[in-house]
Amino acid sequence: MSNNRISQDFMKDAAISVVKTTAEIIGSYIPLIHSVTTLVTEIYQLYENAECNKEICSIMMERAKTAEFAMNMMKDKKENEKYYRQKEYYVAFKKFEICLNKIKHFTDKVSKLKDYKKFFNATKVKNEYEKLTAEYDTCMRDLHFTIAIANERAREDDSKKVDETLTHIENYLEKFTHVFEDKFDELAQEISILKTQQNENPSEIRVERINSNELMEPTVHKDTDIRGLKNNPIVKRIYKGIEVACKPIKNSDEYIHRELAIIGKLFLSPNILKFYGISNVDNNEVMVFEWAERASLKDLYDKYDIAWSRKIQIILDICRGISFLRSVNIFHHDIRCENILITKALEPKLANFKYARPTSATTTDLSKQLNEVIRWMAPEQIKRYSNGKKAGYTFNCEMFSFGMLIWEFCYERIPYQKLGLKEIIDHVTNGKRERLSLGKFDKKIQEKFIKIIDRMWQHEPHKRITLSKLFIRLEKLHTTYPANALGLLENGALELTEKDKLIEKDKLPEFNDEFVINDDFSKPLLSLDEGITLHKKKDHAGAWKCFNDNSELGSPLAKYWKGYYLYEGYYVQKDINLANMLFKEAADGFFIYL
């Protein structure tokens, strides 16, 4: 064999070796790149669902997104391949992943009212923010992601936004939480314990039992002492000198008792209907609540026009009730005027906790109650339900429903009352809403409410106003326009635009054949995360099928895992050559398309 031939063979072998080495080196970054991409997505999700400090969350999200963009720009350029061969660069990339993890946890904490109150104050947040941004900038320089490093002007602007946001949230917490002092954490812990008992030892949960002899009939009877359905009425009784409502329990099982146990813990808030316990009236099991003389807020606006200054007061008090629920980690899940009860003094009380749950619990499935709740439901929920999928629920959903309640109360009629179910679905999911128009009186107040409602029912969840900002706006509005009189006017006195006095009750059609909630939907293809979980459980057969199926769809990460299985001989016969080819394809896929 000639020297020339030997030289060519040597060069060919060396080239193949270099390709393999390059593929293996670049392939080692694939899990890190995937982790970074996942973290950025999670940070964005936290920003979307932020209850407070949304501006701070936005800054952190933008930093993460910019870094991801810089990472993708960097890997697309062939001349940058030399960096990926350096051990120091790999270490810097790992530090970047750790930094993003810190940003994620910081964003998570500052975005939730309960965590902010528990772990932070303005000084701590600012210090942690500055520490994280400095660490982030160092990572960007080490990775040569120069596009992701903010200039001095941008840093100053961001710092100013952080200061303004922290001043705002501290103001909100001072105005709202001082009433309850340090009882929030204790109450949240009690609710958490109850939730654990629900899952582990439901028989241990006990609800206060009231002796039926303690429930006395009123000495003076009124027609309104009995309300609701004729065969299942709510009746008024006197308990320890207090007027109470005795509401029949339709289903006296452990579920009812567990939920009532949680409601019984919410007595601290004057804006939540107080629950006293269960008892027996006329041989029927009943729940005993405080009596709301004027029935529901819907009943009130059906009977009267409510002065605009009084509307401000009532909506502010409802906001206080929702703020309290959020502080103890409870979603109401069904915010509308019919579920707000009104005392004789026009004090609103959040009621009907049928669908309520702790925020950490499984989302309540309302697919069978769409006829009842869809008019107040957020578009992202409607879309999931209409596609036959389980609808997740966030605080942004609750804020949307609250916005619909405010619209309902301002215009004194239920939303979309002339539309059927299918029409509502199309209307709301396409970004359309009810009309925002001005009535005859107090137009300045109406204009303020129009702006508030518009901020609350934004189509994109992260664009909706936060609870803390809403509270401050309503309080300022109340200070400017205090409710000095009861404010109950003759029906029609306000001449509200488009108020239809002939429609007393909403009637929705049943589901038709064109709209079906499909609970039997099954995925024909496992996700990569599910495949990785199977791998960790040593279900190599199931994991291999998942990785193989996804790799055929072109997923770079799936190709990497498939190559790994072939390289190690998990479930399938070893094939190192095919494994190296897949590593190379995975690397090319990540560095071109990710």
Side-chain angles (χ1 to χ4, degrees):
M1 185 180 293
S2 67
N3 290 336
N4 186 45
R5 176 65 178 172
I6 294 172
S7 177
Q8 287 178 350
D9 289 343
F10 176 79
M11 290 175 65
K12 181 180 177 182
D13 291 341
I16 292 172
S17 177
V18 169
V19 169
K20 287 184 178 180
T21 304
T22 301
E24 289 170 355
I25 289 173
I26 294 178
S28 66
Y29 283 87
I30 290 176
L32 280 177
I33 293 171
H34 178 68
S35 176
V36 166
T37 304
T38 301
L39 284 167
V40 172
T41 301
E42 290 172 345
I43 292 167
Y44 183 80
Q45 197 65 50
L46 289 170
Y47 157 69
E48 275 205 325
N49 296 330
E51 301 163 11
C52 61
N53 296 316
K54 187 157 279 189
E55 287 79 4
I56 298 176
C57 297
S58 175
I59 292 170
M60 305 314 285
M61 180 273 294
E62 290 292 345
R63 294 281 174 94
K65 281 281 189 183
T66 304
E68 182 186 34
F69 176 76
M71 176 183 73
N72 292 334
M73 290 285 289
M74 184 83 175
K75 64 181 173 49
D76 285 343
K77 296 181 179 179
K78 188 73 175 176
E79 61 267 25
N80 292 326
E81 190 176 293
K82 60 181 182 291
Y83 294 121
Y84 293 95
R85 292 175 170 274
Q86 300 170 7
K87 181 180 178 181
E88 294 80 4
Y89 197 81
Y90 184 87
V91 172
F93 217 108
K94 189 66 181 174
K95 287 181 179 178
F96 171 44
E97 179 194 28
I98 293 169
C99 179
L100 278 182
N101 250 311
K102 291 179 182 178
I103 288 174
K104 172 190 165 184
H105 290 299
F106 172 76
T107 306
D108 186 29
K109 290 289 187 292
V110 300
S111 68
K112 295 182 175 65
L113 281 170
K114 66 180 182 68
D115 286 340
Y116 182 89
K117 295 197 305 289
K118 185 174 181 180
F119 297 109
F120 290 120
N121 56 41
T123 303
K124 284 184 179 179
V125 170
K126 188 63 183 292
N127 289 341
E128 187 67 18
Y129 165 80
E130 290 177 345
K131 181 181 176 182
L132 276 175
T133 51
E135 185 176 339
Y136 168 91
D137 286 345
T138 299
C139 287
M140 297 302 96
R141 281 190 289 269
D142 291 346
L143 291 170
H144 307 288
F145 293 175
T146 52
I147 192 175
I149 302 175
N151 59 40
E152 191 62 32
R153 176 64 182 274
R155 287 196 196 93
E156 290 176 0
D157 289 344
D158 286 347
S159 182
K160 185 178 179 181
K161 287 179 184 177
V162 171
D163 290 338
E164 290 173 351
T165 300
L166 293 175
T167 299
H168 165 82
I169 191 66
E170 292 290 320
N171 185 28
Y172 164 74
L173 291 174
E174 181 182 356
K175 289 178 179 294
F176 174 69
T177 61
H178 78 280
V179 179
F180 308 105
E181 298 176 347
D182 298 323
K183 297 180 181 179
F184 279 122
D185 291 340
E186 179 183 346
L187 185 56
Q189 186 176 9
E190 289 181 14
I191 290 173
S192 178
I193 292 170
L194 280 172
K195 182 62 187 174
T196 302
Q197 288 179 334
Q198 286 182 22
N199 297 328
E200 298 177 0
N201 302 299
S203 60
E204 293 183 7
I205 296 176
R206 293 290 179 267
V207 178
E208 183 73 21
R209 185 87 195 178
I210 298 172
N211 191 313
S212 58
N213 294 328
E214 296 182 86
L215 297 173
M216 313 297 293
E217 290 200 25
T219 53
V220 179
H221 290 275
K222 295 188 293 185
D223 292 340
T224 56
D225 289 350
I226 299 177
R227 59 178 63 152
L229 301 174
K230 288 184 178 180
N231 60 343
N232 220 14
I234 298 170
V235 298
K236 182 197 284 187
R237 289 290 186 267
I238 307 298
Y239 173 59
K240 295 182 178 180
I242 301 170
E243 293 181 336
V244 295
C246 298
K247 183 178 180 180
I249 298 175
K250 295 180 182 179
N251 187 7
S252 184
D253 61 6
E254 288 179 348
Y255 174 82
I256 292 292
H257 285 69
R258 291 197 299 263
E259 296 306 317
L260 291 178
I262 289 177
I263 297 170
K265 297 293 182 182
L266 305 179
F267 61 88
L268 279 178
S269 173
N271 305 114
I272 293 175
L273 195 70
K274 187 172 182 179
F275 171 67
Y276 293 97
I278 59 173
S279 187
N280 190 284
V281 173
D282 299 329
N283 296 320
N284 292 316
E285 283 288 286
V286 296
M287 302 172 282
V288 182
F289 292 95
E290 68 175 299
W291 180 257
E293 179 65 28
R294 299 185 185 276
S296 75
L297 189 55
K298 183 181 184 304
D299 292 320
L300 188 71
Y301 75 62
D302 280 342
K303 189 174 182 180
Y304 303 99
D305 273 10
I306 298 98
W308 284 102
S309 58
R310 177 56 62 180
K311 284 180 177 176
I312 296 170
Q313 176 69 68
I314 289 174
I315 291 170
L316 175 59
D317 286 341
I318 295 171
C319 187
R320 287 193 175 103
I322 294 173
S323 294
F324 179 87
L325 288 180
R326 192 62 198 97
S327 295
V328 294
N329 309 327
I330 295 288
F331 283 142
H332 185 279
H333 242 296
D334 193 10
I335 303 290
R336 50 192 165 117
C337 288
E338 195 169 355
N339 290 332
I340 307 296
L341 299 186
I342 304 294
T343 67
K344 187 174 183 179
L346 294 182
E347 299 164 323
K349 307 278 183 174
L350 271 70
N352 191 1
F353 285 77
K354 180 179 179 180
Y355 305 129
R357 65 172 176 89
T359 54
S360 59
T362 304
T363 297
T364 306
D365 183 6
L366 299 179
S367 58
K368 295 180 181 179
Q369 286 79 33
L370 283 186
N371 282 342
E372 184 181 353
V373 302
I374 197 168
R375 297 171 186 275
W376 296 267
M377 189 177 280
E380 60 270 24
Q381 269 199 304
I382 294 176
K383 189 173 182 179
R384 292 189 193 106
Y385 278 124
S386 62
N387 289 334
K389 298 179 181 179
K390 185 177 180 180
Y393 193 86
T394 68
F395 194 70
N396 284 322
C397 298
E398 195 114 302
M399 288 300 288
F400 184 94
S401 296
F402 188 20
M404 293 306 301
L405 176 149
I406 295 175
W407 184 93
E408 176 190 0
F409 187 37
C410 284
Y411 294 96
E412 299 184 6
R413 63 190 182 97
I414 62 170
Y416 316 116
Q417 61 182 9
K418 294 181 180 180
L419 298 183
L421 182 65
K422 185 67 167 62
E423 293 171 303
I424 294 173
I425 291 169
D426 292 340
H427 189 83
V428 177
T429 56
N430 285 317
K432 299 177 183 178
R433 301 290 182 267
E434 270 285 8
R435 291 182 61 183
L436 292 169
S437 51
L438 293 173
K440 187 173 181 180
F441 303 102
D442 295 311
K443 290 189 177 182
K444 288 186 177 180
I445 296 177
Q446 293 182 62
E447 287 170 355
K448 295 288 186 183
F449 271 128
I450 285 173
K451 290 179 181 178
I452 287 172
I453 294 168
D454 185 61
R455 287 293 312 279
M456 295 181 75
W457 66 17
Q458 288 290 306
H459 201 72
E460 296 182 50
H462 68 274
K463 291 184 177 180
R464 293 169 200 159
I465 190 171
T466 61
L467 185 63
S468 56
K469 283 191 173 182
L470 174 64
F471 183 88
I472 296 298
R473 282 196 185 188
L474 290 172
E475 191 172 67
K476 287 181 179 178
L477 200 55
H478 175 251
T479 302
T480 307
Y481 303 98
N484 297 319
L486 199 59
L488 296 183
L489 310 173
E490 183 182 349
N491 209 347
L494 290 181
E495 297 185 26
L496 297 168
T497 303
E498 297 186 328
K499 182 178 178 183
D500 189 344
K501 304 180 185 67
L502 298 177
I503 298 179
E504 295 293 331
K505 188 175 182 180
D506 180 35
K507 294 181 180 179
L508 284 169
E510 298 295 328
F511 283 111
N512 56 39
D513 293 336
E514 296 177 351
F515 182 74
V516 178
I517 299 296
N518 181 11
D519 292 327
D520 297 323
F521 176 80
S522 60
K523 291 182 291 184
L525 181 69
L526 292 178
S527 70
L528 276 177
D529 286 340
E530 290 171 314
I532 293 169
T533 299
L534 290 174
H535 170 75
K536 290 178 180 178
K537 292 179 178 179
K538 300 190 183 304
D539 181 359
H540 294 144
W544 165 259
K545 184 179 186 310
C546 172
F547 300 144
N548 188 52
D549 289 345
N550 279 277
S551 69
E552 290 178 1
L553 296 177
S555 167
L557 186 58
K559 289 182 179 181
Y560 179 82
W561 273 100
K562 182 178 178 180
Y564 175 70
Y565 263 52
L566 288 166
Y567 193 91
E568 296 291 342
Y570 286 132
Y571 182 67
V572 293
Q573 187 174 352
K574 275 190 177 185
D575 189 335
I576 294 177
N577 289 332
L578 180 56
N580 281 329
M581 185 180 74
L582 286 167
F583 288 148
K584 180 67 168 61
E585 288 181 9
D588 290 342
F590 263 105
F591 278 70
I592 294 174
Y593 301 111
L594 190 65

